Amino acid sequence: MGKGAGGVSIIGGADGPTSIFIAGKGGKVKFTTRIQNYFRKIKRNRIKKRIIANPHTLEEVVEWLKREHGAVEVSQQSHNYLEQRKSLKASLIMRHRPDLLGELINLEPPDGEDMEALKAFCGKIQERCDRAAEIADEIFPIDFHIYEIKWAENDRMRIGVETVWQVLDGSFSGDEKTMKQLRKLFKKIYLYYGVTAEDIENETERYKSLLGVLCS
């Protein structure tokens, strides 16, 4: 069975699965797509009714991961950690302190298929990421950790936790059967993180993130 890779990122509070509309002639949405979106909406509303307030802090989530699933923290000197931290910091700065990035915050992809223009655009994206990484933690603090759960010899889940801006995300890899089990585990982890009554009432980003994970 072939290997696959999957991941869940909860940065910014994903608002559930995205409905993909496929336009046919005349711009009409295909009937099968409308049916899929209809059932997706039913599933989403059913899940919303099941969400109850049962919150835990990220610190409690980490302790639970260690105790119940043998999670071990990944070295903060590892290449994987450093790359993920850099990417996360750039994303958080773009969301919370875009003023720190100046003119690099508003980058528009080029029209058409001009390879040189596309290459230049990718260069600007990298420049923005590098500039974000250079911003001192005193100006934009970040407390990021990665915890790994080994599932089998070559299968594992990695949970990213950022405590300053309250980020919880995950990635995992394995064959089809393993991926199904790991997705189920991630939902369990995010349910343990949970939401408050206020999150539910106001449909906060934390609530939307939980709903997005459960609907995936």
Side-chain angles (χ1 to χ4, degrees):
M1 187 176 293
K3 287 282 183 178
V8 182
S9 183
I10 315 305
I11 302 172
D15 191 12
T18 301
S19 298
I20 301 175
F21 296 91
I22 304 174
K25 292 183 177 179
K28 294 182 178 180
V29 179
K30 289 184 178 180
F31 176 73
T32 54
T33 303
R34 294 201 302 270
I35 293 296
Q36 290 170 356
N37 289 331
Y38 172 74
F39 283 109
R40 191 176 290 119
K41 183 177 181 180
I42 290 177
K43 177 183 177 182
R44 180 181 177 82
N45 289 335
R46 184 172 67 247
I47 290 174
K48 288 178 72 172
K49 293 177 181 179
R50 295 178 181 175
I51 296 177
I52 61 174
N54 184 30
H56 292 86
T57 66
L58 286 175
E59 291 78 9
E60 289 174 326
V61 171
V62 169
E63 290 305 311
W64 179 76
L65 287 172
K66 292 178 179 179
R67 182 177 66 251
E68 299 295 329
H69 300 284
V72 176
E73 184 168 2
V74 172
S75 170
Q76 295 189 5
Q77 302 304 314
S78 68
H79 176 75
N80 180 266
Y81 171 86
L82 293 173
E83 287 299 310
Q84 286 197 41
R85 187 184 191 280
K86 182 178 180 180
S87 177
L88 176 61
K89 186 173 183 179
S91 297
L92 290 172
I93 289 176
M94 282 189 285
R95 178 170 183 175
H96 298 285
R97 289 293 309 276
D99 57 293
L100 294 175
L101 296 174
E103 75 285 353
L104 291 174
I105 192 60
N106 296 313
L107 298 179
E108 294 292 336
D111 295 326
E113 300 180 0
D114 186 330
M115 292 304 296
E116 289 302 318
L118 182 60
K119 186 182 297 184
F121 174 72
C122 290
K124 284 293 184 180
I125 293 291
Q126 184 60 50
E127 183 182 349
R128 182 170 65 186
C129 190
D130 292 339
R131 180 178 296 185
E134 293 170 357
I135 296 173
D137 286 351
E138 289 76 12
I139 298 174
F140 190 88
I142 182 173
D143 178 35
F144 180 57
H145 305 266
I146 299 176
Y147 299 91
E148 184 175 87
I149 300 173
K150 290 188 177 180
W151 195 259
E153 184 176 356
N154 296 312
D155 302 329
R156 64 199 63 202
M157 170 182 283
R158 286 188 168 182
I159 305 298
V161 175
E162 201 292 314
T163 62
V164 177
W165 304 96
Q166 299 294 289
V167 174
L168 176 67
D169 63 25
S171 62
F172 33 88
S173 63
D175 58 32
E176 185 177 348
K177 181 179 179 181
T178 299
M179 292 287 286
K180 183 177 181 179
Q181 293 171 326
L182 291 177
R183 286 193 184 95
K184 185 176 180 180
L185 174 58
F186 187 76
K187 290 181 180 182
K188 183 178 179 182
I189 293 169
Y190 219 86
L191 273 171
Y192 184 81
Y193 182 36
V195 291
T196 65
E198 183 181 356
D199 288 323
I200 297 173
E201 181 180 356
N202 298 321
E203 295 196 0
T204 63
E205 294 301 325
R206 180 167 173 171
Y207 170 82
K208 293 176 181 178
S209 295
L210 173 61
L211 181 59
V213 171
L214 297 180
C215 288
S216 63

